[in-house]
Amino acid sequence: MTLDKAWFSHRIVNPDPLITFSSTELDTIGIAILLKENPGISEAGGMHFLSPVWTLENGAVEVLLQAIAKAQADLPRHVFVCLASTVFELYLLGKSGLPAILANGSIFVDETTWRVQPANWPGLDRFDAVYNARLLPYKRHELASALKSLMLISHYAFGEEQEKALADVQKLLPHAFFANRKLASIDKPVLSAEQTSLLLAHAGVGLVLSSEEGATKASIEYMLCGLPVVSTNSLGGRDRYYGAPYCQIVPDDPDAAAAAVKRLVEARLERLRIREHVSKAIAFDRHNFLLAANRMIKHHMGLANALPSFRPLLGLKQSFVSLGDNREEFGLQLSSM
């Protein structure tokens, strides 16, 4: 991947000493890749926490290891710490020698946006299930084909023409309600987080059908909005916050997925209790993450209590920007420190 085509989210949480948080696509390492263009900052040193957007359990640790080694050759005074979404990822990172902390990507979701709300979108029906996923093959929309009451919400389909991606899924799921096509505007075809949160109130169950990706934001968003979840077995860490009776993991079979949706709809689980249970689990992980991150920062940078709360990191991985389209803005951010 070329530098200007990299997409990532980032936060600068401390300017001096420099402490950043970024998503990483393994071969590009977040906002730190810009630092060598600013000699003053690169020589001063810094610490960079990297949250991978995809699972590390498929051999990707070696790719990340090589990318970080290259970055440290350019930035010898900087420290890179990888955030693991699963305990097994933490093991693999430790085995490789990379500094790492357990920090599932789901802990960065802003629960003030994703919350239990009444189903009051004007004129919108209720659906047994909703699938919020890009219209891409790895999302395996075909596993929802046995559902007759289904709403689809989608984001841009990276690397594909939008209309072709839509047509492919329409062939797979001709009875589905395509929320973006019906409810979004022509100039803004992607629904906002606030709009999506409102739409989730009209569904009984959230679907997550990929077999491999990252922590999967949609999964934790469903549960914070009070929806039970039907998932397939997966790599990436989304199942860290799953538990009975509000989650069911099913085989890669449309009938199995439909049957699980039916069971959860009929169970009429209380949405506020689902949100409360998941929120407590996230709060526990955030607390332990802050303890570990602050100890690392103090050890390497000499700064005590650099992260007194989790608030600066809320929504970190909600939106991604293109380095190519925002290079000047990033340069100004770094130059102003």
Side-chain angles (χ1 to χ4, degrees):
M1 177 184 295
T2 64
L3 192 61
D4 281 347
K5 290 184 178 180
W7 286 75
F8 58 92
S9 56
H10 75 285
R11 296 284 168 85
I12 299 173
V13 298
N14 198 79
D16 185 19
L18 179 61
I19 301 169
T20 72
F21 284 75
S22 301
S23 64
T24 175
E25 295 191 55
L26 303 184
D27 55 347
T28 57
I29 53 169
I31 197 172
I33 56 182
L34 288 175
L35 297 179
K36 64 181 180 180
E37 300 175 8
N38 192 315
I41 294 175
S42 64
E43 292 172 8
M47 192 163 190
H48 311 287
F49 293 86
L50 307 174
S51 183
V53 299
W54 203 265
T55 180
L56 299 177
E57 295 186 29
N58 58 2
V61 170
E62 185 60 32
V63 178
L64 183 61
L65 188 65
Q66 292 174 6
I68 290 178
K70 183 177 183 300
Q72 288 189 313
D74 294 328
L75 304 165
R77 297 178 60 83
H78 292 250
V79 178
F80 298 88
V81 180
C82 192
L83 305 184
S85 272
T86 69
V87 173
F88 188 59
E89 285 187 0
L90 189 65
Y91 162 75
L92 293 173
L93 289 163
K95 190 177 178 182
S96 75
L98 286 174
I101 300 176
L102 182 63
N104 187 285
S106 294
I107 69 176
F108 300 108
V109 172
D110 187 349
E111 65 272 22
T112 63
T113 297
W114 306 98
R115 60 192 188 278
V116 178
Q117 301 187 73
N120 58 7
W121 191 293
L124 186 64
D125 293 333
R126 291 175 182 259
F127 301 87
D128 287 346
V130 59
Y131 192 16
N132 181 11
R134 297 184 190 276
L135 302 178
L136 292 171
Y138 78 88
K139 292 292 188 178
R140 304 197 299 180
H141 285 79
E142 65 272 13
L143 295 179
S145 59
L147 287 161
K148 302 303 180 186
S149 177
L150 173 65
M151 173 167 57
L152 298 180
I153 303 171
S154 61
H155 208 289
Y156 291 115
F158 289 146
E160 290 201 15
E161 295 180 2
Q162 298 300 308
E163 290 303 315
K164 180 183 182 301
L166 176 62
D168 289 345
V169 176
Q170 284 176 326
K171 289 179 182 178
L172 292 172
L173 304 172
H175 301 298
F177 176 81
F178 287 76
N180 295 66
R181 179 54 62 93
K182 299 291 185 179
L183 304 176
S185 62
I186 294 176
D187 58 327
K188 292 184 178 180
V190 174
L191 295 160
S192 68
E194 291 75 16
Q195 289 174 312
T196 302
S197 180
L198 287 170
L199 287 176
L200 295 185
H202 287 259
V205 175
L207 298 175
V208 205
L209 303 175
S210 58
S211 63
E212 178 182 314
E213 55 177 300
T216 318
K217 294 194 302 294
S219 181
I220 199 68
E221 291 164 2
Y222 293 149
M223 293 184 285
L224 288 172
C225 290
L227 274 68
V229 170
V230 169
S231 171
T232 56
N233 286 296
S234 63
L235 293 179
R238 69 181 183 236
D239 54 353
R240 181 169 178 82
Y241 301 103
Y242 289 177
Y246 60 89
C247 294
Q248 294 197 14
I249 297 177
V250 299
D252 298 344
D253 176 71
D255 291 332
V261 167
K262 185 175 185 294
R263 287 192 296 270
L264 288 173
V265 168
E266 292 176 349
R268 298 183 179 277
L269 300 173
E270 187 178 340
R271 296 195 176 209
L272 286 173
R273 292 191 66 181
I274 294 173
R275 175 183 168 86
E276 180 183 13
H277 182 87
V278 172
S279 296
K280 287 180 178 178
I282 291 174
F284 177 83
D285 275 356
R286 286 175 176 173
H287 171 75
N288 286 287
F289 163 74
L290 288 174
L291 289 176
N294 276 314
R295 286 173 181 169
M296 278 194 165
I297 293 168
K298 185 176 181 180
H299 176 76
H300 287 283
M301 312 301 294
L303 181 63
N305 201 30
L307 286 170
S309 80
F310 200 82
R311 185 168 297 278
L313 301 177
L314 287 178
L316 171 64
K317 298 178 77 173
Q318 182 60 47
S319 59
F320 287 69
V321 294
S322 163
L323 177 59
D325 293 341
N326 295 273
R327 194 183 192 93
E328 183 177 351
E329 177 191 338
F330 295 152
L332 290 172
Q333 277 186 289
L334 293 171
S335 297
S336 66
M337 293 188 301

